[in-house]
Amino acid sequence: MTNAEPDPLDRHRFPIDEWRLVESVYSTDDLGASETCFSVGNGYLGMRGNPEEGRESHTHGTFINGFHETWPIHHAEEAYGFAQTGQTIINVPDTKVLKLYVDDEPLLLSDADLESYERSIDFSTGVLTRDLIWRSPAGKRVKVSSTRMVSFTERHLAIMTMEVTLLDGDAPVVISSQVLNRQDGKDEYHVKDAAMGSGFDPRKAQGFASRVLDPISTSAADDRILMGYRCMNSKMTLGVGVDHAIVTDNPYVPMISAEEDYGKMVYRVDARAGQPILVTKTVAYHTSKGVPARELVDRCVRTLDRVRRQGTEVHHQQQKAWLDDFWANADVEIPGQPAVQQAVRWNLFQVAQAAARAEQNGISAKGVSGSGYEGHYFWDTEIYVLPFLTYTRPAMARNALRFRYQMLPSAQHRAAVLSQRGALFPWRTINGEEASAYYAAGTAQYHIDADISYALCRYVEATGDDTFMLREGVDILVETARMWADLGFWRSNGEETFNIHGVTGPDEYTTVVNNNLFTNVMAKDNLQKAADHVRRLRELSPDGYAALADRLELDESEIDDWERAARGMWIPFDENLGIHPQDDHFLEGEVWELAQTPPERRPLLLHYHPLVIYRFQVLKQADVCMALFLQGDLFTREEKRADFEYYDPITTGDSTLSAIVQSIISAEVGYHEMAMNYFHAGLFVDLADLHANAADGVHVASTGGVWAMLVHGFGGMRDHHGRVNFDPRLPQSWERLTFRLNLQGSRIKVDLTDAEITFTLELGDPVTVRVRDEEVEVSGTTTIALADQGPRLEGALGTLPLISGRREDGSVITAGVPDPSIPDFVPHDDR
């Protein structure tokens, strides 16, 4: 980083390594955040970065996507349609524990005399490694190396090792491998009442005061421990199996035992100096909505038997191959910025850990790294995570969209409860039922319907996956369009307009309003896309259209109604201020003086009653700016800048999602320094614990947003209706930015410098993109020269006019050059 780009990490403790996150000094001061940052997972199974010894932790955690307990939501005052059943991800039996004793003295990192220590997670291998040399109380030096991996290729598998070597002197050594069901009613959680999202801090998880997992079966024999459980209320079932193997030339005695909530494999070793002891622990988890626990235990047996036959090294090789392919598509390179590069790769790696094997489940706000937000799925998936997956790992994006399709019946039921036609997807959920206890900032966020439809259409337009759209996706479009058509109403005040009242936009500091701008522009897109794709289905597959009309009782007149509503959608605009009001009455409120609010009173939601916040013009996160980004073709460049300048000073950034959009829009309208500041605020959300809640798990939406800031913000890429256009804004301190995009089954590399942008076709057929609205066919390597902008001043409009380009064969590409004699010329109008 340059002097203008401060590094928020202590580089003595966390040295820079572009392909690893490394910790060289052990500390208990930030156990929660470090456990999150060193978590390993694959989207199905996740393990927090707790020390192997299991004694020092902020939160012990092993989580399985979608595996949850239910509980009744107790409202102080009930009303029809309120969410009734809460859902909370469960801390499943912990298999990470490998306790070490030398001369019967335990290794305890906070007290240990450590000659050396390093813990790292490698983004290229997916393995968490810890190496240390411990001087025991008896003065014997002990080398301890351990690894932990959750497999990307074997969804249900984790592999751990511990190798212990006495460097001087012999001693008795004990390695105790354990399985602990910690959430047995005696854990550290408490039951909380529903308020502002269930609990005083809505970001934290609901807890339990009684047993959660009911033991069904337990066994221990032949180096293997098997356990089966069933959730007390949700009736979901779980099987866990653990295999052990030891390799050593030292004499040893093994002992195995298990009871309902505790199993252990103990190796007592007469260790000699220089003779290593290697213990390998192989773990399998299987879960179900109702398959008997004993059957799941049988599945664990099959998984473990297969690993025994194949050996663990095969799975490490497969892990490396999977990640090689992931990075070939997803890596973003920033040469000359090693600290930024490390942080970027850590963030992108977290998306893989949250989404790779989510498959039949969604992608939760914390992935499988913690219990924050109770393991719920939000709009985060569609708006912040799916764009990254769509352009880099489209198969993973498709899985996430199919999960929403499978939730459609529940969404149809929820719409009926709220007296609406069509489908209304829950604001927060695991099992498809609405779990938001505070409806004003939850259920009222109807925009989630349009967010899902937006992500669906963007995926199809980018990939050409018409099969998915025509077979399943179109049902989502139809039912969400029906909801908007029914929710909105026509109003005539000279000109007839379509209005949507009583909703909440992304800014949760302003709730239940009329004509929220973000909601309206997203609903407009939803309605139009539904009409377009249904008509397309009618043309491409008359039989498919007939089947759709039959199963959804679709009347052709509905299609015209959707299109009419889209055309007539009311988009608020204030002529006096020249900006788009966030909603019909937003500008009538008093402006909150953020500069006068002390830091200890932030975030506002934890220190002020909601009614206090709702009376003011103050934003939790960028709302209008999000509309400017996602539906940018509806706004002029002047409108975008005016909106940004009005809303940015009253945006608190209390949401980790806010900096992402603020960075992208500030880059687009010319505030380059602000764009970089917001970029760093988003980049280090978890690594530097900037919001003081990284202990609850990775902010997965923010990690996906890092890619968006790079590609959409600095790379200037926009994809409106399948039309990919670039208007680059490379930071002054960066020499180059390189990323890859999957478009229509092809992969192109985009290489950007201050002077030019180069496209290289790496896989597939030629594709067409645009650079500042000029078409470029990418069939080999094509370079477009960009004009020299000169100094990049804070506040200066920052788009660069396109001058000329050259193809691989030397032929010249020319494009329109602006007329400098026109004083108010705007180089790029994104209408």
Side-chain angles (χ1 to χ4, degrees), residues 544 548 608:
L548 171 71
Y608 297 91

Side-chain angles (χ1 to χ4, degrees), residues 119 138 187 403 566 648:
R119 176 171 61 161
D187 60 24
F403 171 73
D648 196 74

Side-chain angles (χ1 to χ4, degrees), residues 754-757 771-772 783-787 801-806 813:
D754 191 50
E756 60 189 25
I757 184 170
V771 178
R772 299 181 187 135
T783 299
I784 306 297
L786 303 171
L802 177 65
I803 298 299
S804 64
R806 63 181 183 278
I813 303 171

Side-chain angles (χ1 to χ4, degrees), residues 681-732:
L683 182 65
F684 289 101
V685 160
D686 291 312
L687 287 171
D689 197 11
L690 297 183
H691 286 246
N693 64 349
D696 299 327
V698 172
H699 292 82
V700 174
S702 181
T703 64
V706 166
W707 182 88
M709 290 188 290
L710 292 164
V711 173
H712 295 303
F714 302 135
M717 192 272 270
R718 296 293 185 274
D719 185 354
H720 296 307
H721 318 295
R723 181 175 176 269
V724 177
N725 188 48
F726 293 87
D727 186 7
R729 304 165 185 89
L730 189 70
Q732 189 173 28

